[in-house]
Structures are given as C-alpha cells and as structure tokens.
Amino acid sequence: MASKGAGMSFSRKSYRLTSDTEKSRVTGIVPEKLLNDYLYRIFSPDHVSTVATSRTPLNFQNLPEHLDQLLQVDNEDEESEGQVEGRLGPSTVVLDHTGGFEGLLLVDDDLLGVIGHSNFGTIRSTTCVYKGKWVYEVLISSQGLMQIGWCTINCRFNQEEGVGDTHNSYAYDGNRVRKWNVTTTNYGKAWAAGDIVSCLIDLDDGTLSFSLNGVSLGTAFEDLSRGPGMAYFPAISLSFKESVAFNFGSRPLRYPVAGYRPLQDPPRADLVRAQKLLGCFRAVLRVELDAVEGRLVDKESSEWQLQGQPTVLLTLAHIFHRFAPLLRKVYLVEAVLMSFLLGAVEAGTPVQAQSVVRQVLDLLWLFMEDYEVHDCLKQLMMSLLRLYRFSPIVPDLSLQIHYLRLTIAILRHEKSRKFLLSNVLFDVLRSAVFFYIKSPLRVEEAGLQELIPTTWWPHSGREGKDSKEAKDETAEQRQRRRAYERGCQRLKKRIEVVEELQVQILKLLLNNKDDNGGEASRYIFLTKFRKFLQENASGRGNMPMLCPPEYMVCFLHRLISALRCCWDEYKGANPHASFSEEAYIPPQIFYNGKVDYFDLQRLGGLLSHLRKTLKDDLASKTNILIDPLELQATTMDDLDEDEEPAPAAAQRPTQALAIGGALPLPRPGWLSSPTLGRANRFLSTAAVSLMTPRRPLSTSEKVKVRTLSAEQRTREDIEGSHWNEGLLLGRPPEEPEQPLTENSLLEVLDGAVMMYNLSVHQQLGKMVGVSDDVNEYAMALRDTEDKLRRCPKRRKDILAELTKSQKVFSEKLDHLSRRLAWVHATVYSQEKMLDIYWLLRVCLRTIEHGDRTGSLFAFMPEFYLSVAINSYSALKNYFGPVHSMEELPGYEETLTRLAAILAKHFADTRIVGTADIRDSLMQALASYVCYPHSLRAVERIPEEQRIAMVRSLLAPYEQRPWAQTNWILVRLWRGCGFGYRYTRLPHLLKTKPEDANLPSLQKPCPSTLLQQHMADLLRQDPDVAPSFLNSVLNQLNWAFSEFVGMIQEIQQAAERLERNFVDSRQLKVCATCFDLSVSLLRVLEMTITLVPEIFLDWSQPTSEMLLRRLAQLLNQVLNRVTAERNLFDRVVTLRLPGLESVDHYPILVAVTGILVQLLVHGPASGTERATSVLLADPCFQLRSICYLLGQPEPPASGTALPAPDQKRFSLQSYTDYISVEELAQVEQMLAHLTSASAQAAAASLPTSEEDLCPICYAHPISAVFQPCGHKSCKACINQHLMNNKDCFFCKATIVSVEDWEKAANSSATSSAA
C-alpha cells in the first residue's frame, strides 16, 4: 500500500491530525518551545543537541513536511527494487507451479512451500541468475530424501532422476550426506527437520556451496558452465511426503552471507522508512512530556503510559499514519516490528516486556484500521511460529524461551488474543507448533555434551531388568549412572521452563473471564479445537492432513496441565465442584448431541442407528426427544459436496497442484512449511442442540433436540443456564445433580482423550526406539569387549579391528545416551507419566458412569475404551525401567477397576461397533492375565463379575475370536499342567527373544481361583460343558489338520532341486496353527484335570461321545508327530525362520498331560473306560506312547525301561522341565497301556465287514436310527447329532436313536409272535 499524502486533511478513527482551521488550537496544546523540543526529540533524535536558534521551529503545522524529509530514501534504494543485472524473471520469486516441475507435487498457497506427492518430483523457481553472487534458503520440514540446489532450463528430469542427476544441475543431499552432479561424492553434514540450508552460487568465480544453519559446508562444485544461454534456477527434487519451504528473500534471510544477494530483493526503501518510524516510536516511549514544569523527562519504555495527552496522541497519529501501511508487509513485520518486540523481551523482565508489548498493541488497535491490525498481527504470529519452529536448540533454550515469552505477551492482550484465536491460530497457523519442543539430532550443537558430560546406559537389555548383570553394578558404573542422572536433571529443569511457558499460552486461550464485549476466549478456543480434532480424525491415513504425532504428544501434555489448573481453580471458587483428580465425562454428553464426534464410531454402532433404536430409552430415561427430521436423515456425509456455504467457499484458500497446470484443490491440512496453511473443510455430523423453551423444565417434560453446527454454539449452549443444562442436558437418573466443573472444561477434557487416541499412543511407542537402540549398541559393545579380552595378543590385526569397533560403538552410545536423556525429559518423565495415568483414570471413571446408564452406554465413542486399554499399555511398557507404574498413587485400585471393565465388556452385547474394539478388549484381557500383578487384580474384582467373565470365556468358540479366548484360558492354567512350567521352550533357550516383555514370555502365574470358577460352571450347568468342549475339539481338529497340510507343502518346496523360497506368511500361519493346537490341547488338559467326570462319567449323555472324539484326536496327533522319519521330523530339522516354535516337546507334553489325567489320576472305573475307548480307536498305536520315553518298541512284560537313546526324543531328557513324579506317571501309563493292549488283543474276536460302522469302519454297529432304520456306531451318530438332525444316508429327520441289539431283539420277538 502506498503511503498517504502528508499534506492532506484526513482522519484515522476518532483522531484528526491537522487542518488550517485548527492551527492556532493545535499549537496551543503545550508551550511552543516545549512542543518544539518534544517534536525534535521524537523526529530528529540526531539533532537534539543542536542549538535551538539554529533550527526551524517544529510544530504540528510543519510536522508532515518534516516527516517527508525524514523518510526520504536514496534513489538507489528505490531503483534497487526493480530489475537488476544478473537476474532474470519476476521480482517476486516463487515456485514455478505452471511449467517448471516434474512429477506430482503439492505446492503451498504462497507458492513457497512444497510437499512431494510422487516418487521423486522436481520443481524450480520462476527466477534464474546468470551473473553475480546469489543465495536462497530452504527450511527443512522433514529430513527424508531430497536433493536441493540449482539447475538450468535445459535440464530434463523424471521420476527417477532429479536435481543433480543431470548435467548442469547441482544438488546437496543431507539425508545421504552427499553432493550430486551426475556422479556423487560425500559432502557436508546430515540435516534434520527444522534445519535451514543456504544455497549459494557465485557466477563470477563459477563456484557453488552450501551452508547448514549458517555454518558453511565448503565449496561443493567449481568450474560451473557459464556464458550465453546459461542461467541457473533454484530447484529441488524430493520423494513422497517430504516437505520444505523456500525463502528467496520475501522474508529476512535467517543466515545472510556477506557479499551474496537474495534472489528476491528486500523492500529496501520501505525498510529504511520503517526503521526510521520505529525510531520515532521508540523515542515516544522513552520521553514523557511534563507540561506543568515545561520539560521533557526521560523514562524507561516499560514505564511509559498512554495518558490521553493530546500532544502525544497527535504525535503517535502522525507516526502510525505512515507506519501502518508498512506493517502489513511480511518482510517489514519480521525485520522491524518483530525485532523491536523481541529486543524488549530479551532486555527486560517478563513484567517489563509485557508492559511494552501491551502498550504497542494498544496503540496498534488505536491508531490503525482494523484490517491493518489484522494483517500485522497475522504476519507477526506467522513470523513468531516460524522463528520458534526453526530456531536451533541451544543449551539454555534461550531462543525458544524468548519467542514463547513474546507469544505470551501478545496473547495477554485481550483484543489481540480474541482476534488471533478467531482468525489466525487455528485457521492460518498450526498453533500446535508452539507446544512442541523439537529433539536435537545433533547433540553437540545443542550443548548436551556440556550439560551431560558423563554418559551412561543400562548394562542389560529390556529383558534383563531383573538379571544378575543389572544387580551386580560396579562402583564405577554406579558413579557414572549418578553423574548421568544429575545431567539429566539439569536438562529436565531447562526443558521445564519452556513447558511452563507453553502451559501459560494455553491458560490464556482457556480464559473464560474475558467476555466483555464479545465471546470469551475459551469458547472461541473450543470451536477451533473441535475443528482441529475433526481434521485429524477425518484425515487419519492421509499423512499430509495430520498434525505430526510428535507435536500432538507435546500439545496433549500442555493441555492436560492447563486444563487441570483451570479445573482446580474452579473447585477453589466453588466448593460443590469436584477436584480434577475425580474428573470424568458425564454420559449425557455422548447422546445429547451438544458435542460433535464427527463420524467416529460409537460402541453400539452408527449414531443414526442408535437414535432410531434407542429413542424410547432416551425419552424415558433422559426426557430427550430426537427431532423427527433427525431420524429421517442419516448423516451429513450424504450431502452434495458442491453445496458449500458461500462464506466457507470464500474463506477457503486455494493451492496449486503441479501436474499439467494449476488445479484448485483444498489445501492439505499439515503442509510442513512455516506458513502451515489451513486444511480443506470437513462436514460436521449432527450436533444436537436444545430447542430451548423459555421457562424452566419439569422432570416429566420431554426436550426436543435438533441439529446445530459447532460454529453456531454459544456460551449458553455449552455452560447452560437455570433452565438449560448446556452440555449436561439429558442427565440420566444414575448421575449426580451437582456438576463436576464448568461444562466447557468437560469438552476440553473430552478433546484431550480424543487426542491421545488419534496419534499420541502410537508416538509414545515409536519413541521407545531410542531406548531399544541404546540397548542394542550396549550389547554390541559388551560383545566386542568380551572378544577383546579373549583375543590372543599375537593377533594384532584382529585386535586393531576390535578396538576400532569398540570406539565406534562407544561414540554411538555416547550420542544415543544424550538423546535418550532428551527423550526421557520431554516424553517419558515422571510428570508425563502422571498425565497419562490421569487420563487413564478419567477414562475408567467415564466408562463406569456410562455403564450405569444401561442401554445408553452404546452411545459412548469407541475411543474411550481404546484409550483406557492403550494408556495402561503405555504406562506399563513405555515408561520403564526409569519410572515404574507400581509407584503411581492408587495403582492397585486402578488396576482392579480396569480389570473389572475388561472382564465385563469383552463380551458385552451392547458393544456392536467395529470388530477392532472387540478384538482390542479381548487382547487386553489376554495380556492382563499374563502378568502376576494384573492377574491378581482380576481376582480382586467382585465374585459375580468373575463368574460372569468365566462363563463368557466358556461360551462356544464359533462366531467369536476364539484364539484369544483360548489364550486367556491357557494362561490361567500355565504352571499347573504336565511339564507346563516353562517360560520359553527348551529348544529356544539359546536364542535371544525379540522382547522379553511380551506377554507370551512371562513367567507362569496360574489362577486357582478362576480355575475353580471354571470347574464349578462346567459341573453345575449341563449345557455349558458339551457345547464348550465340542467347539474346542472342532477347533483342535481344524488347527492340527491345517498345520499338517501346510508342513506337507513346506516339505515339498524344500525337496525341489531348483532354488525356491517358502513364503514367510505361510510359515507364520503354519506356526500359528501349531501354537493353537498346543493351546487347545492345554485347555483340554485343564478341563480333564478340573472336571474329569465330563469325560469319564458315562451317566451323562455326552460323556462317551466326548471321550471318543478326544481319543480319536489324541491318536491322530500322536501318530503324526511320533512316526519314524516322518514329515514332522523333517520340518523340525529344517529349523526354518518363522517355525521356531514348532518342536516335539510342546505338543507331546500337552498330549501326555491329557493321557496321564485319564489313565493315571482318574478313578478306577474312569480309567477303565478311558483305556477301552483309547484302545478301541483304530488309530491307536502303542509305539507312539513308547516314543514319549525314547523307546522304539514297548518293553517286555516285567522288565525295566532301558535308558533312552540320546538321538531320539524322550521326556526323560527334559529333567529341568519335567519332574521325577511326572516321569514316573508316564512310565506307569505306558505299563498300563502295554498290559491292557495285550489283554485286548487276546480277547478280541474277528468282526465281519458287514458288522462294522459304514461311516468310520472302525467300530462295530451299535445304533439304529428311527424311523428310517439306518445304522452306525454310537460315536458317529452322537457326533453327527451335535450339529445336524438328518440321517447320514436318506436325509430323513432322526427322531430317536436306539441300541442296535435292542432293535434286533424287538424284531425277532415280533416275528415269533
């Protein structure tokens, strides 16, 4: 904008500057001499000492002319902003999104930021250079594969070749630390997100170089091609989802280089004017006009106050008349206003800085038009965010502290804060950046070496927390550890200063007392915060749409701190409210529609479905009626995308898509450039609001609700009033009448829970990788040191290599241990752990309160259960071993409450949402029973809930995640079964586990209490045992058959002569089927041990059939596994990766445990029945039983068992796993079966083929079907009738089954008659 004429009459707001008719009055404000001295002090600071007689008197009449002379600039500065020699192209330099690109790229709306959207896209600028020295800067937003540099217009690129891969193109690649010009060599240092790369070209000497964060990397290329037709464009090639932002000179260069000129000229003339006007403004702040004593008083800027003096006001009006248009320009805001404000922050105390900033903002709003202030504040906050995000990490974090202090000072100004909240912080900027503390990848530059001079790392892996090595810490190691911990504490204290400033920012945004003349800040924040959550929830899976998870983690922790502070402050003023320690989300928020959950899944399914099916419950329990129009509509997602409201369309920024021209597309929500523009719009699903009656509601009256968008909500819609409960509308009778806190804080808390679910949990797991890297390098260092000690001194070549490796590992560990200290301070500190723990307890209380509402529990969003499960997992797995969950307050109680929730809801019929949440509940319960402390918590829940949980576990396996259910039952038994006291299988002891914290690698911790509940249910309910065991046997038959079929395919592939590879997925499925078979066998062992009468008491109708099926499956498993040189043996011998768990031991000891319970521990009558059924099965082979003890054939009667062959499998070889008593029981079983087999062979009579069952041909016919008269053995017909009532042969419906001998006798009797 051009400056307005100084001599014309004009008005700005309510202040008129000057006119001819006002001359006498204006000059009479103060004495003429005092006014003259004051104006000279302000506008001619260099001539203050000049004798008064030697200067022209200055007053408001000639002040405009004086200002014009003061602001005059040299013609060179004016002309330098036009075309200059050595440069071709537009004076405003941007990225060429119309023709200078290759591949698919997402270009920012300011045409300076770019995201790769294809394999290796390339784009260049609109301006080139052919002479002189030039520089531009690139802000690295992601540290992936990119090549940044220069190219000519004749360079041709494709999806494989980019800048630096062709002649006359040159690039620096900080990801691979190389330089590129057709060939490549090592160059420079590795860059990281947040770094700034300066690209310098000297076309006078023909050299090209780069700098990283202001530090020169040296000359990269020499002898550049120059001459006619040779001009170089800034250019970049970047891979998919990598992002940068360019600064060609539209903003002040962060690291200017002497002698080099930015591609885009700065506005030098305006810069000179702005600096002079700033000097005048600063002079106003330092001088006070004492009209009483007729003198000027020097004061500190922070002490200056605007007192309404006409002389001062008119002086400021003249300054801002010329200053205001300049403060709308990005370059000038950053170079002039930002520098001035930062200087005030750095020079004074926070109180003094706040005073200066408040005065400046007051004057901006007073003397500038609203649109000018808006532009100025927008550019100011953009510059602040950019500076904060890309400032280097220094030891005392002073840069970040200054930027945050200035941000706080600006946001303390109420009018500025509301404008920024309404229009800038969430709409133009990504304000989450202000709550992030970036991690330094180069610890040297961050000063961590000085802060943590002594490094230390655990001398055991994650699995070795209780190992001997951890206990036997030497004095030197202890001293190093303590020195390291002291360094970590120093680092933590410095980081806490930054975190406290970030919390202050959020407290300002959550202020709800500033509602004078408009809406309070908190309610503006709520609307923007909800849209922020919607963008991230709707954009999951589309990375450019997401706020980076590392930003989300920091944002969540600061939000929790600010929220709890506001919550407890409200409690202090309102004793009837609750403390934040008792916080939860009342269940009515989930169904009254006042809070928009977008398209997030509810526990009971879709919201539209729940409104239709549960409308009667809503009416009867909460007096809520759904508007009939809401019931007719499904969701807002069905709306035509083209029907966008005009204001939204007008406000939506456009973006260029570099593919065959510019296409208007919605801007990606997280474009990792410093400007960080807005995301495309999202449709809001139905938020229901009260159609408010104008009188108090009685308890019997129904409230009709309708759809209301989040932007239309008012403070009354949130907080309510005496006749409207706001967010708490529709309180169920189970909820207390007294509110917990302000309703708005409940919505913030709900958003915090959602944030954890969106990406925080995944990021917490990802950051554990640093600790894993430390453990891996520590293990490698220990191995190297062991080799050094064992290496003969004569082998100097090996010693040299080992010493070199030791040095490399030590240096890497020093680096990683300092990085780990930073991660622990920012992500895994005790305070952060308490935040996550608080969130877990909030979710538990919310679920408990929601559960009490009965059917309305279905309205709860799924993510509450997910956050409860995941936050517990994070506390248990991610924060150790530095911080233990057991040290948290109320740990035992929290564990028990979570156990009760998992036990009740893993089979809750109200949860019919996605399969993921049901699987998550089942997996969480399965993991819960693997650890002693959490299993004890399950045992502490009320008995009624325990029995209900066990009943659900014993339900038939069909149509449910039976593998997880079976795993839970197995964990309850592990430690009690035959040879089932191992943590790891014997053949895997020599291999290192991937993670000893895995549930499957925990020590056995059986639960006799839950086993007893299982036994009682199987005994007392006649329907539970048959259905449960039938499903277990069915799944065992399927799992083992699938396993056998897969190992046949694997063996065939291994025997082929040609080179081939077995699919790793097939190997994994094969191993899974084997593990399932073993676990199902263990469940059968547990059942037989606890309730043997289910199989052995034949007075029960299904016992014989179950026993015969069991015997059939056991014989099948034994025969497949124990056959000489069989398929199983060959596959086990191959030891293929992925089949590590497949071995003889786990499956044979499981089968042995079942047989021992049937044949040794059972009552005499039961043992006899089991023996007869086992021997009657045609698949029975005594040799398979002998195989268990390493014997090829059964021993002769009366002789002792010979010693086992060492080359053969034998249970006697596993004395560490199988007790002497158990081996004696196996020997007793073998002797019993040997004797019984001999007796059965002697007593057996030949059976004709006509008398054999036509189904199995294994047993004699023993049953006849009525009315059709077909026959089979009892085992076949009983098994068939479990699932089908039709005859095998004629498909007639079977009415009854009779003994075949009885039917034959009846027929004979009727014939005789």
Side-chain angles (χ1 to χ4, degrees), residues 972-1016:
L972 300 179
W973 177 246
R974 188 174 180 180
C976 297
F978 183 90
Y980 199 36
R981 293 171 292 278
Y982 57 81
T983 300
R984 300 189 67 204
L985 290 170
H987 67 285
L988 295 179
L989 286 179
K990 295 181 180 180
T991 62
K992 176 178 178 277
E994 294 182 0
D995 185 358
N997 288 329
L998 291 174
S1000 59
L1001 297 178
Q1002 301 309 303
K1003 295 180 180 179
C1005 51
S1007 173
T1008 54
L1009 177 62
L1010 297 179
Q1011 289 177 19
Q1012 187 58 48
H1013 289 328
M1014 177 179 173
D1016 294 341

Side-chain angles (χ1 to χ4, degrees), residues 1273-1286:
C1273 65
K1274 287 185 178 179
C1276 287
I1277 186 59
N1278 287 339
Q1279 182 176 346
H1280 176 70
L1281 290 177
M1282 291 289 293
N1283 303 306
N1284 201 321
K1285 300 298 182 183
D1286 295 338

Side-chain angles (χ1 to χ4, degrees), residues 50 247 320-321 363 396 464 554 584 600 622 687 707 719 758 900 928 951 961 991 1032 1112 1195 1221 1231 1251 1253:
T50 306
N247 181 11
F320 278 98
H321 170 59
L363 296 174
D396 60 354
C554 295
Y584 69 92
L600 296 179
T622 67
T707 301
E719 300 293 359
L758 291 176
Y928 221 70
R951 184 183 296 277
T991 62
V1032 171
Q1112 179 184 1
E1221 293 79 7
D1251 293 333
C1253 171

Side-chain angles (χ1 to χ4, degrees), residues 620-901:
S620 61
K621 294 183 179 181
T622 67
N623 294 329
I624 285 183
L625 293 178
I626 301 296
D627 194 308
L629 296 177
E630 294 289 343
L631 297 178
Q632 295 175 7
T634 53
T635 65
M636 296 279 293
D637 294 332
D638 296 329
L639 291 176
D640 186 358
E641 286 289 327
D642 294 330
E643 298 176 0
E644 182 177 5
Q651 293 175 6
R652 182 183 64 196
T654 59
Q655 157 193 344
L657 176 67
I659 177 171
L663 299 177
L665 286 181
R667 170 184 168 72
W670 189 274
L671 185 60
S672 299
S673 69
T675 51
L676 305 175
R678 279 294 297 156
N680 57 322
R681 81 184 164 91
F682 291 87
L683 291 174
S684 173
T685 52
V688 183
S689 172
L690 172 68
M691 295 178 63
T692 51
R694 295 302 177 184
R695 54 188 174 81
L697 291 172
S698 66
T699 55
S700 60
E701 286 183 298
K702 303 293 187 293
V703 180
K704 184 181 291 186
V705 294
R706 60 179 175 83
T707 301
L708 186 69
S709 66
E711 291 81 358
Q712 293 175 313
R713 292 188 310 171
T714 63
R715 176 172 184 161
E716 191 175 275
D717 290 315
I718 297 172
E719 300 293 359
S721 64
H722 67 283
W723 46 264
N724 174 10
E725 296 179 88
L727 293 185
L728 300 183
L729 171 70
R731 180 180 60 83
E734 297 82 5
E735 279 296 295
E737 295 184 10
Q738 204 67 273
L740 292 170
T741 185
E742 295 172 284
N743 292 355
S744 52
L745 295 180
L746 293 175
E747 184 171 345
V748 176
L749 175 57
D750 175 78
V753 177
M754 192 187 300
M755 284 175 67
Y756 186 90
N757 181 66
L758 291 176
S759 58
V760 171
H761 181 71
Q762 293 86 337
Q763 181 65 15
L764 289 178
K766 180 180 177 182
M767 295 303 292
V768 177
V770 180
S771 179
D772 292 340
D773 291 342
V774 169
N775 291 328
E776 290 179 7
Y777 276 99
M779 185 174 296
L781 179 61
R782 288 197 302 273
D783 292 342
T784 304
E785 291 172 345
D786 289 342
K787 292 175 182 177
L788 272 171
R789 285 190 293 268
R790 297 194 307 267
C791 181
K793 293 186 177 180
R794 66 178 183 275
R795 297 301 306 270
K796 294 184 178 180
D797 55 338
I798 298 178
L799 285 172
E801 288 298 323
L802 288 174
T803 304
K804 182 178 178 181
S805 299
Q806 182 187 30
K807 181 181 178 182
V808 170
F809 291 144
S810 297
E811 290 176 352
K812 188 67 176 178
L813 275 170
D814 287 342
H815 171 82
L816 286 175
S817 63
R818 292 186 175 102
R819 276 207 65 204
L820 186 61
W822 185 280
V823 172
H824 279 160
T826 57
V827 181
Y828 297 124
S829 68
Q830 180 72 20
E831 293 74 18
K832 310 300 185 299
M833 189 178 191
L834 288 171
D835 285 346
I836 304 301
Y837 183 61
W838 181 74
L839 215 56
L840 166 63
R841 291 166 67 91
V842 166
C843 290
L844 295 182
R845 283 188 287 268
T846 301
I847 295 168
E848 290 168 352
H849 281 262
D851 180 41
R852 297 171 193 161
T853 62
S855 60
L856 300 183
F857 179 61
F859 280 96
M860 180 178 290
E862 282 186 357
F863 65 79
Y864 273 89
L865 278 172
S866 299
V867 171
I869 295 169
N870 291 333
S871 57
Y872 167 73
S873 174
L875 291 168
K876 181 165 64 73
N877 298 320
Y878 299 157
F879 286 84
V882 178
H883 306 293
S884 172
M885 188 179 177
E886 298 176 7
E887 301 170 358
L888 295 171
Y891 162 75
E892 295 288 344
E893 178 206 356
T894 302
L895 220 58
T896 304
R897 293 170 70 177
L898 179 58
I901 287 173

